[in-house]
Each structure stands twice: as C-alpha cells, then as structure tokens.
C-alpha cells in the first residue's frame, strides 16, 4: 500500500485565481499589438439563398477602411469543416444561415470595422429556408447540402423485435430538448499575425489550438510547421470554442497574411450569439419493452438532431448520443438510430456533454415513465437494471472495472432522504423529487480513437523549478491546477515548484481537442509517462550525490532521501547537480487511450474505454399559480474514479449542475426565421444564484486502473443528468409527464390547465 | 561507404535571406507592444569613484517621465557577473567606468527616455582611475575590486628551465594588441514584459538566451520556470551579445516587473559603444628556446589582459589564450601564465575568438621572429614543429584524429605561390607576404565542460512538414540554414520541409551559450541524437504501410522505399499515417562534449575535445610615402573537418578575415580617461570593400569523428590568424618587426624613420 498522498486528493488552491481576481491575467481583448488592424465579419442576413454579389462601395470610401476579403482571396482550400468538408471558410455561392460569413472587413479600429461591416451590401436571392428537423427530414428537394442528412450513427444489438414480443409492457414516448447557447463570458476573440518567416502566429481564446492550426494550414496552403497557435487565457468555452475558432482565427489569419499586419477580431455579443454554434436540439422517440418484474427487455430509439447549417461536430454528438442512448442500464436487445439533419439555422456543434444531456433526458424520463407504468419506485426500478461490474453496456461493452453507477445512486438516495420524501400539502406550491442516472464515455471513443492521444513536456530547471507544457487547455475548469498537482505527485515535489505554461502548438505533439472531459485522464497519464522517464535519471543523480544505490532513493515533498544511510538533499540541490552533470532535463510524455474493439456498422463493442457515472436527485417546488419551477436542492453524486482535487471537482459539479438547471428551466432560446431573438442576457436568462437552490456534491471513488491515480473525467458528467432529474421532479410534483424543456411557466400552466 | 549526400556539402541558399532582404524580418526595433514604455540607462560620467547620490528632480517634472529605478529597487541579488560575482546589476556604491549604470529611466517615448536620462544628476566622488594593465598590475592600494587581478590561468608542462639550458637560441619579444569594438549593425535591444502568471517574458537581440534567463532569475528572485527568453532576429553579435544582454534585459525586466507594462530598451550607437564590452587588449611577453635545426624546445609566455571594470568573460579569454598560447606546434616544455587585470575602462568580454586572435598574434609573430633569427623560411620553420596525428598539443593533449594543420599550410602555400613570391621593386610600394597558423579548441573546453551540452526538439507534423527548435541561435552566421540542412540529412528528407524555429528558453533544455563556434557541432550532434530516436519509429510505421521488415526501409530525399518489393510512399503520406496511428512525433535530441581529462592546476590535458586548424597567408603592399598598408590578398585555408555548406563556410571565412583585417589595420579604438573617442563610424574605421583586397577561401576536410558528418567549428577560426599574417607580411615588406596592432600609418612611418 502506498502511503496517502499529501497532494492527490487535496484541494490545492487554483493557481490562476490570483491573476484572474486581480486583473493581472490578460484576456485577448486586453491585448493589442503595434500596427494592428481590426476585423469584423460580413454575413448573410438571409437564412438561405444564392449569393449574387457584394457591394463594398459605401464602406471603402471611409477613411478608416482598410480592406475587404472574400472567398476569392483564399489561397488554399475554401473549407473549414472540422469533420465533414461541408463548410466554406467564407461562403461564395450559397448562404445557409443568418450569420454565414461572406467576407471579412478590415478597418483601423474595432469600432470602424463593426460600423463598416454593416455598410457592406450583401445581395442574396432567397430560397425557402428549412427551419426544423421535420422540414429537413421530409424534404424531397432543395437540399441544404448534397442531402439534408448531415450524419448518422446506430447501435443494433441483440434481437429487439423478438424481445419486444416477450415484453409484458411496451411503452412509447416522445421527448424534445431545445437549443442552448454557451454564453461563455468572453466572446470569440483572436489576433493573427504574419511571422517573419512567412508563417502565421495566432493567439486567441481557443479550446483546440491544434484544430486551428489545421484550419489555417488548409485555407492558407501553409505547412503546419509555419503555423503556431497559442491559447490566450480563455473566459469560458463549454465546447463553443472547439470548432468556431477554426473559422474566426483562419479568417483573421487570411487578412493578416495578405496585409502583413496583425489583425484582431473580437465578436460583440449579438454577433457571437447569431454566428456561433449551439447545443443541438433533439427530437427523440423511445419505445421500450419491460417485464412486469421491472427488467428492461428491448428498446427501439430514434434520436433526431438539428445540426443547423453545417455539420461541424454533429458526428460526435450523433455518435455519443447513440452510444449512451439507453443510459447506464443492462439492455441486451436494442436498436438506436441517431441522425443529424441540416437546417437553415445557426450551426449546432460541441457543447458540454456532446448530446449526452439530450439522450439522458430521453432515457431518464423514459425510466420514470416505465416505473410509473409498473407502479414501481423510480429508484427501485433503476436498481433492477443498473450497470454493475461484469455486466455489459447497451453497446455490449463488458465492464470489468470502475462501475460506480449503483454507488452514486445509493449515496444520492441516502443524502436526499429519497425514501422518506414527502409531498407538499401546500395547495399552491407542489413539491416533487426526481432522479436521473447517467454513464458518460470518457475521451473521444472508438470513432475518434486515432486522435485520442495527448502529450506533455516537463522541464526541470537548475533551480529546481519545473515548467510543464501540456497539449490541452485551461478554459476555466481548473486544468492548470490539476496539471500542477499531478506533476507534483508524479515527481514527488511541492506544487509551488511548478509552473504550467500557456498552451501552444509548438511545445507538445498534436494532443487532440480539449473536449470530452479528457484533460485529467490524457494529461495525467502523459505526466506519468514523462515521470517514468524522469525518475530514473533523478534517482541515478541522487544516488551519485548520496553515494548509494538508486533503488534506495526516495523523492517526496521535494526532499530526496536515501533509505540506507539516511542521507538527504533538497530537490533544488539535486536539480542543480543535474544541470552541472550535463543531463538534459526536458522530457516528453505521451499517452493514448487503449485500443478499442468496436464495430462501426453495428455500433457494438467498446464505444469508450471507460465511463464516468452519476446520479442527480432534484427536489423542486412548482408554483401552480405562476407556473414557475424553483429548484430547492440538487444532490449530485459522481463516480470520478478518484478525486484529485475535491474543491475543483465540486466546482465542476456545481457549475455543470447550474448549466443544467438553466437548460432545463430558464434558458429559452428563440429564433424567428433563423434570426436569434434571445441575443443578450435580458432575453436569454442564465440562472442566477437566486435560481439554483442548494447543490450538494457527493463524490464516489471507484478507481479506474487506466486513469491517473484512478481518476476519470468530470467536466461533462456534471451537466448531463440535471435536466432529466428536474423534469422527473416536476412530473412527480404535477403528476403529469414533462417531456420537453425548457420547463417555462407557460408549459406548467398548460399542463395544469390540460 | 555511404553514397554521397545531396544535402551535406551542398550550398543550400540561406533560409533567412528572403526575410532579411525584403525587410519582412522584424528586428527588435521594428517591434512595439501596446502600452509599452521606453527605457534609457543612467550611467556614471566619471571612470572611478564613490556614488554619493542621484538627483532625478529635473527629469521627473517632465510630462513624459514615468519612473526611475536604482539598485534599491532590485528585489533579488544586485549581481549580474556571468562567471565572477563582481558586477552589480546597477551600481550603488562604487562606479568603475564611464558607462557604469546607476539606474534606468523610464519614459513614454524612446526620445524622452534618452533625453530625460541625461537630466539625471549623478553625484560621484572621483578616485584616481586605473587606465592601463601596467597601472593595474602594479597598484598596491585603491584596488578596483578585492584585488586588481580578475582571473588567471596557466599551463606548466615539462621542464622549461632545463630545456632553455639546452637551446641554441633563446629569443624574446613583446607584443601588444588593442581593444576591438564589435560594431554589430544592430545595437543592444530588448523588450521585457511581465506575464499574466507574474513572470517575465523578454524578446531581444540576444546571443545567449539561457544566460539572460539566469540573470533575470537572480536579480528578480524569480524561479527559472517563470522566465521565458526569446531571441529576436539579431543583426550581428560577434560575442558582444553574449554577456551584455544579461545586464540590459534584466534592467528592462526590473522596470517591466514593477510597472507591469512592457519596457523597451534600445541603445543608441554612442551609448552602445561606451557601455558595452570590447575585445581584451593584450600585452604579451614571449621567451622561446629553439635548436639550430629549428626545433621548438621551451617557451615561457606571459599574457596580460585588460579586463576593464568587470570580469564578465575574462576567465574564458584568459583560459583559451593560455591553452593556445604557443599555437599548433609541438613544444614539450612550456610555462604559460595568462592574467586578466581590472581597469577603469569599459569591460572587455566575449569577442569572436576569445583571446585566440591575441595569442595567435603573439605566437605567430614569434614564429616569424625565430625563423628570421634562424634564417629559415617561415613556412619551413613551422613545418619542423607543426602538430600532426599522434603528436601532443602544448597542453599535452595527444591528438589521434582530425589534425589538418599541415594540410592547411600546404594548400595555402600552394595557392599563394609562397615559394615563388617576389619582392616589389617599386621604391614607394613595398610588398610583403606573411603566414600565420592557428589551432582553435572547439566548444567550451575543460573549464566549461559542465555547461557544454545542447539540445534540439524535432517535431514532425502530419503534413510531413518538420519544425526544429534548437538551443543556440542565428546571429547572422547562417545557423538556421545549416540546422535545416543537418536535419534534412539526418531524417532523409528535403530541406524545404523544414522550418527552424526562433530560439527560446522553453523549447529545449539549457543549451549553453551560442559561442565558441559551437553551433554546428552541438546542434548537429543533437540532431543526430534526435534522428536516432525518430528513424526507428518512422521505419516501423513505413514497414507497416509497405508490409515489409523495418530493416528494408530506406528514407531518402523525402521518399520512403522498401528494398524488397520496391514499394514506396512519400514522406507526407508516412507522416499522416504516424499521426493517424497515434504516435507522438516530437523528439528531443541532446549532445554534450565527451568528458575531458584535464588538470586545472597545471593546465595539462585535454583542454578541448578537438581543434580546428587554419593557415592564413597575407600579401600586403606598404605605401612608404603615406604609411598606408593595403591588403592585396589573403589566402585563408581552414580545416573544418567537413564542409556542410561550402557557400556558408566561405561567407564565414570571408567575414572573419575582414574583421581580422579591420583589427590589424583600420580599427583604431581610442579612449581618453575612460571615455571612448571613437564612438561612430567616422572615427572608428571598419574596413570597407575597398580595404580588404581579395580573399581566397580554401577548405580542408579532415573529418572529426565526434563532429556531425565530420564537421568542426569555423565561426571563430576565420578571424584568428588574419592579423598575425598581416603583421608578418608588413614586417616582411619593411624588414622590420611589427609587434603591435593596429598597424596605422603613423607606426609604419615611425618604423621607416627609425
């Protein structure tokens, strides 16, 4: 047994807290370069049509006007699709949503760029826009791309038809979930510069620097080696800076490359909301067969996703929602079809959970509906079917380690007093309790295995200070702090020695995207790999100094000791000796997820290498007079494998839960013929501290052997069950099924009235 | 035998030529940051004295004034000595030369900083300054530091006393060499910024980024891990940017750290010449015993160096001049004492050759004087004593490989027609020929072994483009080009795939200083180390694709072939497969020089791991009417081990030779009581194209097994023999010994008159 760590499992304070609270941290908007120009997008005001022409005459007569660039100025490929090649960097023939960029206007000031962009006349011959999933699916002509189906994934396992025939009950229901706007505090922002060597250097508020590098290489026909992307401190992302910076940065880079001057582009809020990606709205149809005893026998599930004008990351959303469509339960006969349809609306893309919250809304509402049919307690019904060790997921993945689903349910039930929950007797305020369980496949999964590797570079300086470069990013989630902690633990030194560097594409190999709750697992394992190379060198040097065998050396808390003769030295002294003995102390670490057995045609196999599990229990109060739903409390129990930094974990759980509450209740995203109506905080209501009630985080540790120190991902699991738990609680309070979110007062009042 | 390379030995065009000729390359002065302030040094106008006080009242009332920082503002150690701790970052008690900085003035513009710095009153109680080596050596009180001896090195081998008693002739002479100003085109320049994380980021015209990092850590009491130093494109250095940027950058960093705004400091030419380091003036006394047959039997050599006010790199100069004091000849009984003395003059420090041109002036003039005494031809006499395979250097280093001394002499003699050289019959213009031989210890030698390692990082991108980071720098010598070539050769790809990145301290381990002609050897070997790790991975992947054994894979000119079934693929395809198969393609390479057997007490042993050799033969014409010396031609033959890029080598040889001509003839550095009088190009005469005559480069290749592809250093050897060859030629022309440079017309006329 290892002794308990003084680092892992401890709530180290956030290393970026000081800079962010004092204002010393410079966000992109704080950064200006000499001789810099400013850019603003010029975009279509028509949701769908043929681009006939662009007239810049009103803009170009302005003394602050510098240039306008359109598709014809792109030296490389006019293509920015992250997965599918369906999206021009700048639209040249067809515009597909209000916000589709047809050019970029460059001016001397930001104010002028925005003003002059509005003076550019964009002539479009309008087509009839496709505004819903149904319209898109049912269209027989006038397709938005070659087809209106952006992508699809499926699972086909067992024999659902036969299994349905044996079922005591077959229950069907439809569910709907809406758009969600990321509403990161800091909008899209970047500065692109041409380098002396004729390359491009971009600094920006970016979630996936390696994606941006690829996008610039493609559009500007430059080698990757001449493109450097650095992440500026980033004020929130939530997926919204996964794909979009590939567009914005590459457009700015195009201008900087041609003009040979730095070009800054920062979206204003209204532009940001109109132009950038959202969470996919889902329409879901569930048909599930169960035995009277409460055993899930068969399921047939259709998931339909509104992809908006371009696919961007729809394929990932479609894949993940299919793989998790029936949740953390044993079900051996299942058919899932998940399809993303193009519409003439803003593109939907990456958003915390990647389709998981939507699928969770489907399967967890379904579980409650079935339990009600069977007249079973929702928890009891779930326990009949829950994933355990030595069971198989819906894709047939045989689980052999780290299955904490039941433990999250047990702890949440206990903490919430589920079994002694009481109904309200208040005639106006109805109380309800709802439970929701999820499993979440960590990292990119079988469909993205080829890019599911990440790196670090650890540099020990002669003064014993240590710099760590990693390939993923800090976007508010606490990555810098946990990377610091993991490095300190791996090397046996104090966290104060460690500086985690800003991420750029030069320091480490392409580490894939900072998504899918990957950071702790990928970076942590890469750190362990680097440490496995460093420690023998450190110990060899220490053994020289302490005149003993290297096996007798221990390095802990920055103290190097020799178990034989009790000699010791400080880590600083050791580092200086390493320098003086001419040992290079830069080491690269790398980790990629284990190979997965998976068949894409059937969707059967190891969809992901491991899963996080969670249970949320929501207690709500519904005001039957106004229709308002108040969240009284959420008990959020998460199996994270191992809690590396409990305070950081709780912050993630609370943040995710709040974002789930917003999506469930207050964030009512509205469009009118493709134009976003809710483009500011007056109309798009993020939950405030007054709206979220109490959140109690419960941490379950069922270690994952492949995770660093047993850890699994938490960034996304935190949001996934929340909305389903709330909808189950409201359904329970009203005694009527709530199968659609957001649960705005109108829906409640209609239900009560109906 | 390997097939001849299509890269090594070929004159690849300079990769930085386009940027530097079009102006796209941005030097530091071209760079401005938002919110940036400007700094100017405030320095003593008195050569030696006690600092009584500083009055900034006249400056601080100016609206452009921002701040003034003195020694009391330094949070860490007020010390910037590179080797000895003898130099305050900012003088606080004693000022030791005109130029000793007592503070740094910060203003809104560069113009204001310079103007206001002059308004600061610096009160100094003057002491009697020490202005020469003699005054310094002979002083008994009023020492500039604890002693006036800055440092010393010696060689004591064999029994000189006994050997002198056996000599047929004992010949003595004194020699003097002057200051030399680097006169890089671009003056000292940097911008320091405080980072978001509370660290420091400096970009500057810098020769040794790792030195600057250390200096900032020391003065600002920051961990190395929070300090990043990046080299801007650098317009010349010649050693003058080895030590000085540690002062200038750290002062700018101090201001930036306190003010939390970027601070730029660019020295004007006059400030640069007054404040920064020069080549050490030497006084030398040689006493040599020879047999009548022309065999060197014994030598006793005193080298005395004017170190100026602070030691900076005097120790390296003192060491190297001692180790090479008798040149590339066999001499078994020798005593060398090399001593550096402080004076109240600008510090002398690193300058191309590090004392070698001075020592070469001594030993090569001495060889001609002895030859004249023996009435032997100077070449013949040298051939009697020249270093060959299986002989020992003056420090007793047994040479077993790569000793091209004789071949450089033979080729230079042949090319110059030495044996048929004719005297001029013109009564006014006297013609003379002079020869000079040298050996030059590559890299840092035994005294600096502990820091004689360098690294690279090679990154293969998925598009087959390759980025190389290295720890040394481009300062005009062609490093980027030869690093590109060596990487291409090592990996078997086309040079066009490769981008060599700007140097910064984060990319690679501390790689030591970019001095001592280290780049090709250190970086080349580090590249080979990286390639030895990369090639097996590349070949393994290629074998998978081409379905063969990895031993059958060959990678050449960017084409990957399989010797068995003649299958092939492009390197781009292979790189993309590496990416898709999740192999990290960043690799670190490292090399340090072999361990050296050397005894510092006696100076006996392997002073350096290998040596470059050279012969320069100069043909001069002396105008006996005006005293002007014209160089007609110089034949410069260099044993470089292996010529990696012949055009680049020739450019180095020509550049070094021209700098040697300037030192020998035109660059007459003058001081008056510590103030530099020759502070611009009107008074300090750099040789122009009209002054340098013809230069014929001859390349001798005697491969060094430890060198990359057999190569040895060339940057410094190029300048070392030139002045001695010219002085020998002028002595030959006049029939009178010229033992002092620069050989200005006054000296010639005095000689002729005398």
């Amino acid at each position: 047994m290892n002794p308990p760590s003084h680092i892992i499992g401890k709530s180290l304070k956030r290393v970026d807290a000081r800079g962010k609270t004092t204002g010393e941290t410079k966000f992109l908007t704080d950064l200006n370069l000499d001789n810099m120009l400013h850019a603003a997008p010029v975009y279509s005001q028509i949701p769908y049509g043929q681009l006939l022409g662009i007239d810049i005459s009103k803009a170009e007569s302005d003394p602050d006007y510098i240039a306008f660039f359109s598709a014809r100025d792109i030296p490389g490929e006019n293509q920015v699709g992250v997965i599918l090649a369906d999206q021009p960097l700048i639209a040249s023939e067809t515009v597909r949503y209000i916000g589709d960029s047809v050019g970029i206007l460059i001016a001397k000031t930001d104010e002028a760029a925005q003003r002059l962009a509005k003076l550019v006349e964009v002539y479009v011959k309008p087509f009839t826009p496709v505004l819903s999933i149904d319209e898109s699916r049912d269209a027989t002509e006038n397709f938005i791309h070659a087809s209106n189906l952006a992508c699809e994934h499926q699972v086909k396992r067992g024999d659902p038809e036969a299994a349905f025939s044996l079922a005591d009950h077959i229950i069907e229901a439809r569910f709907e979930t809406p758009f969600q706007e990321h509403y990161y505090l800091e909008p899209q922002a970047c500065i692109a510069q041409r380098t002396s060597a004729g390359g491009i250097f971009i600094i920006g508020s970016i979630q996936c620097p390696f994606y941006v590098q690829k996008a610039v290489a493609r559009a500007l026909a430059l080698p990757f080696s001449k493109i450097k992307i650095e992440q500026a401190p980033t004020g929130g992302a939530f997926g919204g800076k996964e794909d979009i910076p590939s567009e914005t940065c590459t457009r700015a880079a195009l201008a900087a490359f041609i003009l040979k001057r730095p070009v800054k582009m920062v979206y204003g809020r209204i532009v940001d909301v109109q132009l950038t990606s959202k969470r996919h709205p889902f329409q879901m149809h569930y048909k599930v067969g169960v035995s009277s005893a409460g055993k899930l026998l068969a399921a047939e599930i259709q998931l339909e996703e509104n992809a908006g004008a371009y696919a961007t990351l729809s394929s990932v959303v479609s894949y993940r929602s299919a793989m998790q469509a029936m949740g953390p339960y044993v079900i051996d006969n299942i058919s899932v079809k998940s399809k993303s349809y193009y519409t003439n609306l803003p593109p939907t893309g990456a958003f915390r959970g990647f389709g998981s919250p939507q699928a969770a809304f489907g399967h967890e509402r379904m579980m409650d509906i079935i339990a009600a049919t069977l007249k079973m307690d929702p928890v009891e019904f779930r326990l009949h079917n829950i994933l355990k060790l030595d069971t198989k997921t819906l894709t047939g993945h045989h689980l052999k380690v780290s299955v904490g689903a039941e433990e999250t349910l047990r702890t949440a039930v206990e903490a919430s007093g589920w079994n002694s929950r009481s109904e309200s007797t208040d005639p106006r305020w109805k109380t309800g309790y709802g439970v929701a369980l999820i499993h979440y496949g960590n990292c990119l999964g079988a469909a993205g295995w080829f890019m599911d590797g990440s790196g670090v570079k650890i540099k020990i300086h002669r003064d014993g200070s240590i710099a760590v470069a990693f390939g993923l990013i800090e976007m508010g989630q606490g990555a810098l702090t946990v990377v610091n902690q993991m490095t300190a633990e791996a090397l046996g030194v104090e966290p104060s020695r460690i500086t985690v560097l800003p991420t750029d594409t030069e320091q480490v190999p392409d580490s894939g995207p900072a998504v899918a709750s990957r950071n702790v697992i990928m970076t942590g394992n890469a750190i362990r790999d680097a440490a496995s190379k460093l420690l023998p060198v450190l110990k060899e040097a220490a053994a020289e100094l302490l005149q003993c065998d290297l096996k007798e050396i221990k390095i802990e808390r920055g103290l190097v000791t020799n178990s034989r003769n009790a000699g010791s030295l400080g880590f600083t002294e050791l580092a200086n000796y390493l320098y003086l003995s001419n040992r290079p102390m830069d080491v690269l670490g790398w980790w990629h997820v284990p190979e997965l057995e998976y068949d894409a045609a059937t969707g059967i196999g190891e969809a992901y290498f491991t899963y996080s599990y969670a249970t949320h229990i929501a207690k709500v109060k519904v005001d039957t007079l106004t229709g308002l739903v108040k969240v009284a409390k959420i008990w959020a129990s998460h199996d994270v494998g191992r809690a590396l930094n409990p305070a950081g974990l709780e912050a993630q759980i609370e943040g995710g839960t709040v974002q789930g509450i917003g999506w469930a209740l207050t964030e009512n995203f509205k469009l009118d013929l493709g134009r976003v109506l809710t483009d500011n905080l007056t109309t798009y209501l993020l939950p405030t501290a007054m709206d979220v009630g109490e959140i109690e985080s419960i941490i379950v540790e069922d270690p994952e052997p492949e995770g660093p120190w047993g850890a699994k991902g938490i960034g996304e699991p935190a949001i996934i069950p929340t909305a389903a738990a709330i909808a189950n609680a409201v359904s329970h309070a009203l005694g009527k099924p709530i199968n659609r979110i957001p649960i705005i007062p109108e829906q409640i009042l209609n239900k009560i009235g109906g």
Side-chain angles (χ1 to χ4, degrees), chain A residues 210-284:
Chain A
F210 297 98
Y211 278 5
V212 176
Q213 184 181 38
K214 181 183 168 187
V216 172
R218 190 178 195 177
L220 299 192
L222 286 174
F224 278 59
S225 60
K226 288 196 187 295
I227 302 163
K228 176 175 173 176
I229 314 295
E230 179 176 321
Q231 188 220 6
T234 294
F238 307 115
K241 293 173 183 166
E242 175 174 3
D243 45 356
I244 299 302
S246 294
E247 305 171 17
T248 53
C249 295
T250 306
R251 291 178 195 139
L254 171 68
F257 194 77
I258 296 171
L259 295 170
K260 301 184 181 178
R261 293 174 66 177
V263 172
K264 182 175 188 173
M265 182 153 68
V266 178
Y267 278 2
R269 181 62 66 186
I270 292 172
V271 168
D272 195 295
V273 170
Q274 181 66 50
L275 270 59
T276 71
S277 62
K278 322 283 165 224
R279 184 185 295 287
H280 288 70
F282 269 46
Q283 293 180 181
M284 299 171 268

Side-chain angles (χ1 to χ4, degrees), chain A residues 69-372:
Chain A
F69 299 109
S70 65
R72 75 182 66 168
D73 298 301
I74 298 170
E77 193 186 352
N78 183 11
Q79 182 53 245
V80 76
V82 175
I83 296 172
L84 299 181
D86 68 348
Q87 184 173 8
L89 176 63
I90 300 178
S92 61
E93 293 173 7
T94 309
V95 292
R96 295 184 175 90
Y97 75 104
I98 297 178
D100 218 350
S101 287
V102 299
I104 180 169
L105 191 135
I106 313 298
K108 291 180 187 166
T109 67
D110 182 41
E111 175 279 322
Q114 297 193 37
R115 178 170 49 81
L116 298 177
K118 289 185 190 134
L119 297 183
V120 176
E121 309 257 22
V122 181
Y123 299 106
V124 173
K125 178 184 158 193
F127 301 154
T128 306
V130 177
L131 299 172
S132 71
I133 293 173
D134 293 340
E135 285 174 28
S136 179
R137 184 208 319 109
D138 298 341
T140 54
E141 56 175 11
N142 190 23
F143 296 132
I144 299 172
H145 295 276
S147 142
N148 277 355
L149 181 65
C151 55
E152 60 181 322
H153 285 281
Q154 64 169 354
V155 180
K156 209 164 167 50
R157 182 162 159 260
D159 186 345
E161 212 172 319
F164 273 120
S165 70
L166 301 173
D168 297 317
H169 303 271
I170 295 176
I171 299 145
E172 295 189 54
R174 292 186 177 274
F175 308 104
E176 268 178 57
T177 63
F179 282 99
Q180 186 174 23
E181 165 60 33
H182 302 90
Y183 229 104
Y184 28 68
L185 280 181
E186 182 201 27
Q188 303 287 337
C190 65
I191 299 175
Q193 310 167 57
R194 182 169 169 145
T195 66
S196 279
I200 285 287
F201 172 41
I202 291 170
I203 180 161
S205 184
I206 293 171
Q207 204 173 332
C208 303
F210 297 98
Y211 278 5
V212 176
Q213 184 181 38
K214 181 183 168 187
V216 172
R218 190 178 195 177
L220 299 192
L222 286 174
F224 278 59
S225 60
K226 288 196 187 295
I227 302 163
K228 176 175 173 176
I229 314 295
E230 179 176 321
Q231 188 220 6
T234 294
F238 307 115
K241 293 173 183 166
E242 175 174 3
D243 45 356
I244 299 302
S246 294
E247 305 171 17
T248 53
C249 295
T250 306
R251 291 178 195 139
L254 171 68
F257 194 77
I258 296 171
L259 295 170
K260 301 184 181 178
R261 293 174 66 177
V263 172
K264 182 175 188 173
M265 182 153 68
V266 178
Y267 278 2
R269 181 62 66 186
I270 292 172
V271 168
D272 195 295
V273 170
Q274 181 66 50
L275 270 59
T276 71
S277 62
K278 322 283 165 224
R279 184 185 295 287
H280 288 70
F282 269 46
Q283 293 180 181
M284 299 171 268
H285 178 256
Y286 276 72
K287 176 181 163 191
V288 179
V290 286
S291 70
S292 298
K295 184 83 193 136
L296 291 171
L297 298 177
E300 196 179 284
I301 301 169
Q302 276 99 39
L303 309 176
E304 293 181 321
E305 303 116 34
N306 187 333
Y310 298 105
T312 80
L313 290 149
S314 293
S315 180
V316 177
V317 168
S318 163
Y319 175 80
R320 188 175 279 282
S321 56
M323 298 304 123
Q324 299 170 178
M326 201 51 221
Y329 307 108
V330 174
I331 182 160
D332 292 331
N333 302 286
I334 185 164
S335 156
V336 184
K337 285 195 165 47
S338 179
K339 298 185 179 188
S340 287
Y341 292 99
Y342 291 119
T343 58
N344 295 116
L345 300 175
T348 50
F351 198 142
R352 199 176 199 171
F354 280 92
S356 304
Q358 296 98 312
F361 188 83
H363 63 71
E364 289 308 288
R365 278 296 301 131
M366 200 64 206
M367 292 299 281
D368 263 28
I369 291 168
I370 300 168

Side-chain angles (χ1 to χ4, degrees), chain A residues 10 184 234 306 396-397 522 529 531 752:
Chain A
K10 298 289 183 279
Y184 28 68
T234 294
N306 187 333
H397 184 172
M522 305 302 297
D529 178 49
I752 295 170

Side-chain angles (χ1 to χ4, degrees), chain A residues 687-734:
Chain A
T688 68
M690 298 293 287
D691 300 313
V692 299
E694 196 184 338
I695 298 168
E696 183 176 330
S697 301
I698 302 159
I699 295 174
V700 170
E701 294 184 307
D702 193 335
E704 163 54 50
E706 293 277 0
W709 298 276
K712 301 188 284 193
I714 181 60
E716 289 166 294
I719 192 182
I720 302 174
T722 313
I726 290 170
N728 283 343
V730 175
S731 302
H732 172 229
L734 299 181

Side-chain angles (χ1 to χ4, degrees), chain A residues 28 30 38 45 52 65 141 154 166 174 177 275 297 305 321 344 349 357 367 414 485 508 544 572 574 589 602 680:
Chain A
L28 203 280
D30 302 323
H38 297 264
Q45 303 291 339
L52 299 175
Y65 172 89
E141 56 175 11
Q154 64 169 354
L166 301 173
R174 292 186 177 274
T177 63
L275 270 59
L297 298 177
E305 303 116 34
S321 56
N344 295 116
M367 292 299 281
E414 188 176 304
Q485 266 181 292
V508 294
E544 285 169 26
T572 301
L574 177 59
T602 60
N680 63 58

Side-chain angles (χ1 to χ4, degrees), chain A residues 26-38 110 191 262 264 266:
Chain A
K26 299 289 173 222
F27 290 91
L28 203 280
T29 43
D30 302 323
L31 191 67
N32 292 297
L33 301 184
D34 186 52
N35 203 28
M36 188 172 78
L37 298 169
H38 297 264
D110 182 41
I191 299 175
K264 182 175 188 173
V266 178

